[in-house]
Amino acid sequence: MGRGVTVATCSLNQWALDFEGNRDRIIDSIRQAKKAGARLRVGPELEITGYGCLDHFLEGDTYLHSWEMLEQILDHEDCQAVLLDIGMPVCHRNVRYNCRIIAYNRQILLIRPKLWLAQDGNYREMRYFTPWQRPRHVEQYDLRHIDWRISDQRFIPFGDAVISTKDTCVGAETCEELFTPDSPHNHMGLDGVEIFTNSSGSHHELRKLHTRVDLIRGATRKNGGIYLYANQQGCDGDRLYYDGSALIVVNGQVVAQGSQFSLTDVEVVVATVDLETVRSYRSSMSRSLQANHQKSYERIETDISLSGDSNDFDLSKRPSEEIEVKFHSPEEEIAMGPACWLWDYLRRSGAAGFFLALSGGIDSCSTAVITFSMCRLVLEAVGAGNEDVIRDVRRICGEPADSSWRPTCAEELNKRILHTCFMGTSNSSPETQTRARDLAHRIGAYHVELKMDAVVAAVETLFAVVTHFTPKFTVHGGSKTENLALQNIQARLRMVLAYLFAQLLPTVRGRPGGGSLLVLGSANVDECLRGYLTKYDCSSADINPIGAISKTGLKRFIAYAKDAFDLPILAEFLDATPTAELEPITQEYVQSDEVDMGMTYEELSVFGTLRKVEKMGVWRMFEKLCYRWGDRLSPREVYEKTRRFFYFYSINRHKQTVLTPAYHAEAYSPDDNRFDLRPFLYPSFSWPHRKIEAWLARHEAQK
């Protein structure tokens, strides 16, 4: 091999504002990279602070502590003799930037600010940072206002430059810059940069990894080069789960890949690459002609050799060969992503476990099975000797400090962590109660059951005494308003009872120190989108692992888990009709979710995708659906469904303002917190309705 270079990238489970913990994980990753022989180490975006600091990026302390942690990292004895690419925020001339710090042997070589900021969906980087809009411009960062003690540096190059070593050239780009049409790696590659680093804070979304891998492969497939992709992995304090998948790609071929879902806090991915393969790949005349016209980057010259100082090839440096990229199915992603998110939230919150109202329906079933999946992943990590996970398991389960206990199966662990409760009324069927009980028993959950009719009756009696009016269900002659009010009493009382049990069950069970449980929600994304839930009912919880997953996605997940987790009981949930069980059951009537909503869950997924992902209003959605559903519905029937969706969406949008924080999984999530920002008081869409009705009149007159 002509010029063999061993390089390392990583996925780190950073936590926003956990400066010391983040520092230690960074140092550990550098230590592991060096042990593997790497001469270049790349870390995730904003890894010193954690990516999800949000408005804390507006605070001066965040920048001060970042410099303090950086100094400790660069001064550490294990962080020498390796080129480091570290992410942190930097304030330069009173402007805040999202930056990469390129350093070697206690010397900062370059501060490279992010050129293009992520500003879509969950990302609001321009709320905190300013993009560096001066391509290839470099100025000096004044280090004198910082108490910098580890070197005599006073001024550091700041801007869009590249690092020139004795044997190659290294350029950095950050997360969003890979996704832009005119990515920096295009220009850097034409200017002779051979190694590209990309440090990301990219969150999980179902099927998103395919897009990311295609972009990273494409970054070097045309122009050649070595691409190192680093990403955060885990929940760093909010709704997002960053899904790792660190990659090393050479000339469009993946030679190393990290895990997408893992409970390991520090995962380092290493590969040995040959610089000469890049040079031969770039030998085409058309590329050379374009390179001739490329504007040059300022090169920060160094005396570093990433391949070593010897000109002899080293037989021990065998080039890494192409591997097949590992992609999970959407069902596997649902099984693992929310499970890892739950584990991070649980261990970092200090809670004693989870509480779930288990109804016997597929939504709460999905939440329970995801928690069981979490226990399976934890057991796997315990079996692999992960000391961090072992320590967290013992602490969460209330074990004494000197305990040597380890769970031997997922059911044993789940018995200590997950608490479920069937909250039945006279409207509940024996079938749902039995399904809930059997599932809880099979996955090992601590399960209790209750009948809450007396509590419901007390509230109804109170209202009747005060108002001299007794509301009735529709099946008993009451109005729609009365019917809905009586359903909501049951739903909201379940929320009150859920928090009561969550607060006291650890004490009831004799857990040392008592503690309280995190209440889990189980409303899916389609019900949230349409507003088919009661405000402040059991959908109101602490966190919700399925709140951005569609009903159809959950059904496919449960079908997968039935076999993958050996849970034959799940077949009963798949066969059951989705029902809220809030109205009396008669011989002629059994409540059904899809009948109540006036649309199927599959139709809701389509409406949600067109509304959010394809950015359609009433008219454009009607137009699109006439083509899409034209083989089974007339234009007028399409209009009635579209009108119904927007009616219920608009009158229920206010419910999204208090929606339980949910794991982000689908691109059409209606999360009002930061992903899907809309009004919650809507007009009646009268103009697009008139436009559609006029079109229908013309269309029907032509028949």
Side-chain angles (χ1 to χ4, degrees), residues 600-643:
T600 67
Y601 282 106
E602 288 188 3
E603 289 171 344
L604 267 174
S605 293
V606 173
F607 284 129
T609 301
L610 296 182
R611 180 197 70 97
K612 175 65 178 177
V613 180
E614 299 193 29
K615 303 173 179 62
M616 291 184 179
V618 181
W619 167 257
R620 284 284 291 118
M621 191 179 293
F622 164 73
E623 186 181 53
K624 179 89 169 185
L625 291 176
C626 280
Y627 293 112
R628 186 164 182 170
W629 291 343
D631 59 337
R632 64 183 182 89
L633 296 175
S634 69
R636 184 162 292 278
E637 289 172 324
V638 170
Y639 170 50
E640 291 302 326
K641 283 185 176 290
T642 305
R643 182 167 185 155

Side-chain angles (χ1 to χ4, degrees), residues 471-483:
K472 300 176 183 178
F473 284 105
T474 301
V475 296
H476 297 152
S479 66
K480 288 185 178 180
T481 301
E482 295 170 61
N483 194 66

Side-chain angles (χ1 to χ4, degrees), residues 687-701:
W687 175 248
H689 290 160
R690 287 197 190 96
K691 183 178 176 68
I692 294 173
E693 287 164 358
W695 182 90
L696 285 171
R698 294 192 301 271
H699 173 75
E700 291 168 352

